[in-house]
Amino acid sequence: MRGVAIKKDGRRTSMKHRLRYGDLLSHIRLGQRVFSYNDVARAEPTGRRRYRLRKVDYYRLLAPYFGSRAREQVMNVLPVVAALALFQVFLLRTPLEGATAIGVGIATIVFGLLFFLDGLKLGLMPLAENIGYGLPSRCSTGTMLAVSFVLGALTTFAEPAIGALQAAGTLIKRSEAPLLHSLLNDHPFAVVSAVAIGVGAAVVLANIRFLYGVRLKTLVILTLIPALGLTAYLANDPLHAPVLGLAWDCGVITTGPVTVPLMLAIGIGLSAAAGNEDNPLSVFGIVTLASLFPAIAVMTLGLVVTGDSSSDAAAAPVAPSVWIDDPTLAAVFGAVRAVLPLVLFLFVLQRFVIRSPLSDRTRIIYGMAAALLGMILFNLGLVFGLSPLGSQAGENLPMAFVATEGVAEALYPYAIGLAIVLVFAFLIGFGATLAEPALNAMGLTVETLTDGAFPRRLLIRVVALGVAVGMTVGVTKILFHVPLAVLLLPAYAVALALTVFSSEEYVNLAWDSAGVTTGPVTVPLVLAFGLGVGEAVGAPEGFGVLAMAAVGPIISVLITGKWIDWMVRRKIAVDVAKEAGRA
């Protein structure tokens, strides 16, 4: 072996001394000791080592995790709640009754949403995604659609805002709206079941669209025509007309934080199985259909239970429920009834249909427990915080421009007071929509899909403007006792006409944007607010604000889409003209 030496000037030179390779190995191994791997493995302590954490260690681990999520929920809840509270105190000059209980209730809402959404992300969503990807290889198409129907129905019961319907029933007077009162107080489970069946049917239709590539525009037109026809038919009957607001509001309530992500997870899996995973637009449509089918289902239910709302039945007292009398027990019972069937169904699918072990069982079990705890806290906060706050603000709203019970004179001149009320409704709708995180996520998707032609900020502002105008129209409907059909039918007729003449991309975007703007806080708050206004002005019911807030962004986004199309065509024409001039 020839060695190499380095001189002081950096040049290499060969060494004259030769070294045998065997001697080199012997020199290297000098002082070394060979250990058997089995001896090393036996030297390791058996079993998992248990680390003892101090209290401060738990705090340092958990505080950043839950702190960031708590801040996010505070930012979602606080703007709308603070606006309502400040409006009542400073503009309506009325103290907030039960401020301490409402404050505790709002804090409970924040923690409830924190745990529920964390549980949804860590527990329910991974299961749903796994099932969505596994079902196509394990089941026939018919079985997949049946599973989608059951899952869609069960997610409706788990929606946090669905509990607001029960609280809304207590504010309806049977003498003024007997059928509506009967539905909400005598048949609340039937109402929720009808909504669940509507959502299940919508999910099945949406999945058929994923599998067979049916255009959403076609489905929207075919669904909207019978929905509007049924609305027009019920509007001509004084008994059924008050049900319209409930029916169309139910369509908005169902598109909440549980139904949308879980159904999208299933839809993405089916879409991938159908070979459409490269088309992001293929997942649009579930939100749209899930907001139309429940409205049809509730209107149909109103036709079925008409016999129970006779004048004799109206005089009969309502038997109170033991569970409803105790808010805490009612919250716990309602949460278990909402979450447990959904969890069990997902586990059964995973265990007996997909037949694959859970990748992270501890985390998923934590997610399930967190979802249940979050639902309990949310229900308690709804009873003690959001509903009283929205109801108080709504009841005191008319005193701004008219004399009400207990207030001999209006706070402001009629025109100024009415303007304050309508501007406040507009700002609440605009502000709540701007803070909606789902809309921001949709804006990013749309900006990518349209190559920047429809910027994220433009979409958010257009949708917020549509919601704000819709809420203002909805509050006006309650204040002046305008029948909902008079406003709803022309609005959806305009939306239908724009849908026919718009491209498939903007139809997908516009109709789905109506569903992502109504979060779990905005829905119960707006419901209580509208019902409070209705009670103060003597309206038969206070529903319809959510329905008008939903149709507003559909129109505004479709109009903006047509404007963007016109701008793009105009730019192309100008570019072509310039090229022709140069030639």
Side-chain angles (χ1 to χ4, degrees), residues 201-211 219 282 284-287 289:
V203 173
V204 170
L205 192 60
N207 286 335
I208 290 175
R209 172 177 177 260
F210 292 153
L211 293 173
L219 295 180
S282 63
F284 280 83
I286 284 183
V287 176
L289 298 173

Side-chain angles (χ1 to χ4, degrees), residues 129-311:
E129 289 175 357
N130 194 33
I131 292 169
Y133 281 103
L135 271 181
S137 60
R138 302 279 185 178
C139 305
S140 63
T141 303
T143 305
M144 284 192 302
L145 295 179
V147 169
S148 301
F149 177 84
V150 176
L151 197 56
L154 290 178
T155 54
T156 303
F157 287 95
E159 278 294 346
I162 204 74
L165 286 178
Q166 196 168 22
T170 59
L171 301 177
I172 302 298
K173 295 180 180 177
R174 176 164 283 196
S175 58
E176 298 179 354
L179 178 58
L180 180 61
H181 185 276
S182 176
L183 285 174
L184 290 175
N185 294 281
D186 302 337
H187 309 284
F189 185 74
V191 173
V192 179
S193 299
V195 175
I197 292 173
V199 173
V203 173
V204 170
L205 192 60
N207 286 335
I208 290 175
R209 172 177 177 260
F210 292 153
L211 293 173
Y212 300 105
V214 182
R215 298 174 68 196
L216 180 63
K217 180 193 288 191
T218 305
L219 295 180
V220 167
I221 294 173
L222 292 178
T223 308
L224 193 57
I225 289 176
L228 296 182
L230 199 55
T231 302
Y233 174 75
L234 296 182
N236 292 320
D237 186 349
L239 180 65
H240 292 94
V243 180
L244 293 177
L246 169 68
W248 285 93
D249 279 4
C250 282
V252 181
I253 294 173
T254 55
T255 53
V258 180
T259 305
V260 174
L262 284 184
M263 292 304 99
L264 282 180
I266 296 290
I268 289 171
L270 295 177
S271 182
N276 297 325
E277 68 272 21
D278 294 334
N279 181 12
L281 285 175
S282 63
V283 300
F284 280 83
I286 284 183
V287 176
T288 300
L289 298 173
S291 61
L292 292 177
F293 274 70
I296 298 175
V298 174
M299 285 189 282
T300 306
L301 179 67
L303 292 172
V304 173
V305 301
T306 299
D308 293 339
S309 58
S310 62
S311 57

Side-chain angles (χ1 to χ4, degrees), residues 84-99:
L84 273 180
L86 294 175
F87 176 77
Q88 177 169 331
V89 172
F90 291 103
L91 288 180
L92 299 182
R93 305 169 191 172
T94 306
L96 200 61
E97 296 180 10

Side-chain angles (χ1 to χ4, degrees), residues 298-373:
V298 174
M299 285 189 282
T300 306
L301 179 67
L303 292 172
V304 173
V305 301
T306 299
D308 293 339
S309 58
S310 62
S311 57
D312 294 337
V318 179
S321 168
V322 175
W323 294 101
I324 295 175
D325 287 345
D326 189 326
T328 304
L329 289 179
V332 174
F333 177 72
V336 172
R337 188 180 61 183
V339 175
L340 196 59
L342 177 61
V343 170
L344 291 178
F345 184 69
L346 290 175
F347 267 119
V348 168
L349 285 178
Q350 179 71 31
R351 177 67 179 82
F352 297 103
V353 179
I354 306 301
R355 299 174 188 171
S356 65
L358 296 175
S359 57
D360 194 344
R361 180 174 299 181
T362 303
R363 190 172 66 169
I364 289 179
I365 291 176
Y366 160 75
M368 302 296 181
L372 181 61
L373 174 63

Side-chain angles (χ1 to χ4, degrees), residues 427-477:
L427 293 177
I428 281 289
F430 196 84
T433 307
L434 288 181
E436 186 59 49
L439 184 59
N440 280 277
M442 174 178 270
L444 288 174
T445 304
V446 171
E447 186 172 312
T448 304
L449 293 178
T450 59
D451 294 328
F454 208 138
R456 178 180 64 89
R457 290 184 178 179
L458 177 61
L459 173 69
I460 293 173
R461 289 169 184 170
V462 167
V463 173
L465 179 64
V467 173
V469 172
M471 279 197 64
T472 307
V473 174
V475 172
T476 306
K477 167 253 175 191

Side-chain angles (χ1 to χ4, degrees), residues 486-569:
V486 173
L487 302 171
L488 200 66
L489 289 175
Y492 271 105
V494 172
L496 183 61
L498 288 169
T499 299
V500 172
F501 294 104
S502 296
S503 62
E504 179 75 7
E505 289 80 5
Y506 289 121
V507 169
N508 293 336
L509 171 61
W511 284 87
D512 271 23
S513 66
V516 301
T517 57
T518 46
V521 176
T522 308
V523 166
L525 205 58
V526 172
L527 267 181
F529 180 76
L531 292 170
V533 174
E535 187 177 17
V537 299
E541 46 85 22
F543 290 104
V545 179
L546 287 174
M548 297 308 301
V551 70
I554 297 174
I555 297 175
S556 62
V557 172
L558 286 175
I559 291 175
T560 307
K562 296 298 293 180
W563 175 73
I564 290 176
D565 278 346
W566 178 77
M567 292 290 290
V568 170
R569 286 197 300 269

